[in-house]
Amino acid sequence: MGDMILGIETSCDETAVAVVERASVVRSSVISSQVDQHAEFGGVVPEIAGRAHVREFVPVLAEALATSGVEGKDMDAVAATVGPGLVGSLLVGMSAAKALSLVWGVPFVGVNHLEAHLYASFLEEPDLELPLVVLLVSGGHTMLVLMEGHGRYRLLGSTLDDAAGEAFDKVARYLGLGYPGGPAVDALAEEGDPRAYAYPRSMVRENPETLPDDRRYAFSFSGLKTAVVNHVRSDPAAATADVAASFQEAVVDALVVKARWAVEATGAKGACLGGGVAANSRLRERFLDMCTATGVRAFLPSRAMCTDNAAMVAAAGWWRLRSDGPSPLDTSADSNLGLSLLG
Ligand code: KG4
Ligand code: ZN
């Protein structure tokens, strides 16, 4: 089986194409972001996203091929995200991937976007030791997963309401920091005091044993968002930088404390981060400290690999192709696709 994979990502508001060799050498990775087109609406507008993917796809593909130095005839497979995401957006990348696989006479591989975020770490550090605790934090998901092998995931816990990225986006919007909110809160928090306000940390205790099993690794961020809103309403003079830093600290505390519990309880060899929120400066710093304190190996993907890109899709596709073979050409888009989990 060949090693040169073309990866395609169009699940949300980034049109991305990459060429990756052996799931570890990035030959090219091109991303066209639609952020400007959605900013005035304060979030991603599905109709605009789908149309923008159609417009952007061919130029992005052309640039990814040209800069990779690899010709279409030398590609061994085409991988595309098939879910979760916006259906109208997913279909653009999937249809293109299927057409290219037919033209080049190579396999098509459908990739789960969550698994792709997870493989961002393997792409940059192929020798990561298993089992591995993975904290997957994006705009749509917040999950703590124990990865026991390639394609073998055990879910430890996830969010009961908002995803971490969603909380960043909602709080940023309320504070008037614009869209997307995560990077804006991250930057402003640098100038604030993380201890200025004691916002709530949901289901966080001194001793994890005092929490019921199904809550131990669970997260909840909607109460935190409400606490921030109520506080700012009652204290309009509060410095926005202090609010941003205190909010960020509360999110990071919950994420890092539970990741530490997971590392301690599972005896994992390492821990890694994935998803857009993994680009957060404070989370990266605190996660590294936690790994040092517990004596496990940490891996933080570069910031560019944390947010949506197609290199991670190509890497996940290479592993999927090895374990399951090609996907059928009638594979459909699944907006709610979950990570396939061990019992
Ligand atoms: O993984 P991603 O690019 O797309 C999804 O699959 O959802 O994640 C996007 C999310 C957004 O909510 C964005 O605000 C958040 O990641 N994000 C950040 C940072 N950069 C992106 N959140 C906190 N700090 C950041 N530096
Ligand atoms: Zn994503």
Side-chain angles (χ1 to χ4, degrees), residues 172-263:
R173 189 180 193 170
Y174 181 73
L175 297 176
L177 301 178
Y179 167 85
V185 171
D186 191 348
L188 185 63
E190 292 272 325
E191 299 154 30
D193 177 3
R195 287 171 308 275
Y197 305 110
Y199 295 134
R201 276 85 167 138
S202 191
M203 296 173 285
V204 171
R205 306 266 187 287
E206 204 54 49
N207 175 5
E209 303 293 329
T210 59
L211 281 162
D213 288 353
D214 61 343
R215 294 293 154 103
R216 196 164 302 151
Y217 302 112
F219 304 96
S220 165
F221 298 112
S222 75
L224 169 60
K225 175 199 64 196
T226 309
V228 173
V229 170
N230 289 343
H231 166 236
V232 174
R233 270 203 196 117
S234 67
D235 181 10
T240 308
D242 288 341
V243 173
S246 302
F247 157 75
Q248 176 175 276
E249 199 68 7
V251 174
V252 170
D253 257 342
L255 294 173
V256 172
V257 164
K258 299 210 168 194
R260 174 165 58 78
W261 291 347
V263 164

Side-chain angles (χ1 to χ4, degrees), residues 300-324:
L300 311 185
S302 62
R303 283 167 200 258
M305 278 298 152
C306 291
T307 47
D308 289 350
N309 66 84
M312 67 182 193
V313 174
W318 185 84
W319 283 101
R320 270 288 151 201
L321 194 56
R322 277 173 47 129
S323 61
D324 301 350

Side-chain angles (χ1 to χ4, degrees), residues 113 117 138 308 312:
H113 185 80
H117 272 303
S138 70
D308 289 350
M312 67 182 193

